[in-house]
Amino acid sequence: MTLEAILAYLHLLAILTMVVFIASEAALCRIEWLNAAVVERLAKVDRVYGIAAVAVIATGVARTWWGMKGTAWYWTNPLLHLKLTLFVVVGLISVFPTLRYLRWRKALRATGALPAEAEVRKTRKLVMVQAHIIAVIPLLAVFLARGFGARH
């Protein structure tokens, strides 16, 4: 039971970290606020967001392996597969802002140039799409934890 509680805690901590840092990206990635310091900060915030996302997957997988319900209970439930699919979609979308932040930082360091307004707006839109998809995943988790979708 202690291991289950620790795994749940670590998973929740990773999720909260991920949410805080995607929210930070959404707050920072605004043309009105963009300056050299923000471009540098976005790259750092995005790195922590990515590390948190890896921690979410790692702790989630750990819960399915070493948690009380076990792999057979989790991996046969379609809600888990839907959660993972949404998580992969978020991960794929996140590649584009990550590459842009790195490109912006490189250009800033080389020439002092800030990104174009249109590119900032497109990037923020992708960050917001991620944030909205992430908000759906806990809903699926709540139903999953209560046995919805389980094959009896």
Side-chain angles (χ1 to χ4, degrees):
M1 185 119 18
T2 302
L3 179 60
E4 177 73 19
I6 290 169
L7 291 172
Y9 166 74
L10 292 174
H11 192 55
L12 184 59
L13 183 61
I15 293 165
L16 291 173
T17 302
M18 189 176 148
V19 168
V20 164
F21 280 85
I22 193 68
S24 297
E25 281 188 40
L28 289 170
C29 192
R30 297 174 184 270
I31 193 65
E32 305 85 26
W33 298 354
L34 206 65
N35 59 37
V38 170
V39 169
E40 293 286 344
R41 172 78 38 96
L42 277 168
K44 291 175 186 172
V45 166
D46 189 63
R47 184 179 325 117
V48 176
Y49 170 65
I51 292 167
V54 169
V56 168
I57 287 292
T59 57
V61 168
R63 289 189 75 190
T64 69
W65 284 341
W66 299 307
M68 291 180 359
K69 293 177 182 170
T71 55
W73 189 89
Y74 279 106
W75 291 98
T76 58
N77 192 310
L79 288 178
L80 177 68
H81 296 274
L82 183 55
K83 279 179 53 177
L84 288 172
T85 299
L86 290 177
F87 200 84
V88 167
V89 168
V90 168
L92 292 172
I93 294 169
S94 78
V95 169
F96 299 102
T98 297
L99 293 176
R100 286 182 186 156
Y101 298 150
L102 295 174
R103 191 172 64 242
W104 295 352
R105 186 176 67 183
K106 184 178 179 181
L108 175 71
R109 289 177 177 177
T111 66
L114 292 174
E117 182 175 334
E119 190 170 5
V120 174
R121 291 191 192 287
K122 282 179 14 182
T123 304
R124 186 175 195 297
K125 190 175 287 188
L126 290 173
V127 169
M128 294 303 294
V129 167
Q130 290 176 74
H132 286 84
I133 294 172
I134 289 169
V136 173
I137 296 172
L139 174 64
L140 298 172
V142 168
F143 281 98
L144 173 67
R146 282 149 186 80
F148 285 82
R151 297 185 182 148
H152 300 286

